[in-house]
Amino acid sequence: NAGVMQNPRHLVRRRGQEARLRCSPMKGHSHVYWYRQLPEEGLKFMVYLQKENIIDESGMPKERFSAEFPKEGPSILRIQQVVRGDSAAYFCATWGEAQETQYFGPGTRLLVL
Amino acid sequence: KNEVEQSPQNLTAQEGEFITINCSYSVGISALHWLQQHPGGGIVSLFMLSSGKKKHGRLIATINIQEKHSSLHITASHPRDSAVYICAVRGSQGNLIFGKGTKLSVKP
């Protein structure tokens, strides 16, 4: 994954709680993509951020989901008032230098009870 | 209709067999990507193609831009090749648009 880090790797939440997923892209990279993989489904784009800016959030659910990438620190995907349908694997990724390879983090597996 | 379609959805092969996974897309693209998702969930990029053919070890990827079709071939398949293989095209903001994946199981 060339240094894309995500934590936690596994997260269990009860319905109604908040989930915070963190992603640190490779050193020197100032952009991040978030993707979601629902059980038995393909990966879907959620949001594209550059430092302090949301560039494209067309894949984000309209309610309860938000994302940020502050000047300092990791990118955060925040899910408020989680529901069982939010249970999924959430991946972040960045492009390599030559824009030929997208490097993925190991993912956060969210389980909502 | 999905922008990226893969077939087959599931594939079981015997060790040593030649494997082909197909991908068709409906949008204009500058490049197509093949990725592998391991049983543990990790995702790695295998190829980026904009034309022709690329080879890496036992893996070969081809693309036909006119027909909007790509294939991933695995020669002399091995049980360690068992994984989900995913085709993706690049969206306007650099995001990837994925097919649903092909789950490959290679039996010894």
Side-chain angles (χ1 to χ4, degrees):
Chain A
N1 63 9
V4 181
M5 295 189 290
Q6 288 187 251
N7 66 80
R9 297 286 300 273
H10 298 272
L11 183 60
V12 179
R13 285 287 178 264
R14 296 195 180 278
R15 281 179 297 168
Q17 291 184 320
E18 179 179 286
R20 283 188 179 229
L21 288 61
R22 289 176 290 278
C23 170
S24 296
M26 296 181 283
K27 192 174 180 181
H29 286 238
S30 58
H31 71 277
V32 67
Y33 295 85
W34 284 93
Y35 299 100
R36 177 167 69 172
Q37 187 174 38
L38 292 165
E40 307 302 319
E41 293 283 325
L43 288 148
K44 300 280 189 201
F45 166 71
M46 298 183 77
V47 62
Y48 165 40
L49 304 114
Q50 292 182 358
K51 284 279 187 181
E52 301 186 273
N53 286 299
I54 297 173
I55 307 301
D56 182 353
E57 57 181 348
S58 58
M60 287 275 270
K62 295 286 183 262
E63 296 177 350
R64 303 186 297 108
F65 284 72
S66 61
E68 62 175 2
F69 194 6
K71 190 175 179 182
E72 303 290 337
S75 175
I76 307 282
L77 179 67
R78 183 181 176 210
I79 311 172
Q80 295 178 289
Q81 299 175 310
V82 295
V83 300
R84 289 212 174 109
D86 298 332
S87 296
Y90 293 82
F91 293 92
C92 69
T94 64
W95 285 105
E97 298 266 328
Q99 299 275 305
E100 289 192 355
T101 300
Q102 196 160 92
Y103 294 99
F104 287 77
T108 294
R109 274 106 186 128
L110 172 65
L111 175 62
V112 179
L113 301 177
Chain B
K1 188 179 187 299
N2 290 329
E3 292 175 276
V4 182
E5 297 275 0
Q6 283 186 240
S7 63
Q9 197 171 345
N10 292 284
L11 182 56
T12 300
Q14 286 299 127
E15 184 172 356
E17 284 185 359
F18 180 82
I19 287 160
T20 295
I21 298 169
N22 295 300
C23 175
S24 297
Y25 53 92
S26 58
V27 294
I29 64 165
S30 57
L32 180 140
H33 298 258
W34 282 100
L35 306 104
Q36 179 192 56
Q37 186 168 25
H38 301 133
I43 300 169
V44 295
S45 180
L46 298 174
F47 294 104
M48 185 204 79
L49 288 163
S50 53
S51 65
K53 177 178 173 179
K54 282 190 177 177
K55 184 176 190 290
H56 186 251
R58 294 180 295 106
L59 299 178
I60 303 165
T62 63
I63 189 167
N64 185 320
I65 297 289
Q66 286 73 32
E67 294 187 4
K68 295 186 176 177
H69 182 268
S70 176
S71 293
L72 177 68
H73 306 285
I74 305 175
T75 62
S77 59
H78 190 275
R80 66 174 174 265
D81 297 326
S82 298
V84 176
Y85 292 85
I86 304 169
C87 170
V89 298
R90 187 167 172 169
S92 60
Q93 294 289 353
N95 55 294
L96 290 177
I97 303 166
F98 302 89
K100 289 189 175 181
T102 295
K103 186 173 183 179
L104 171 65
S105 178
V106 182
K107 306 291 186 190

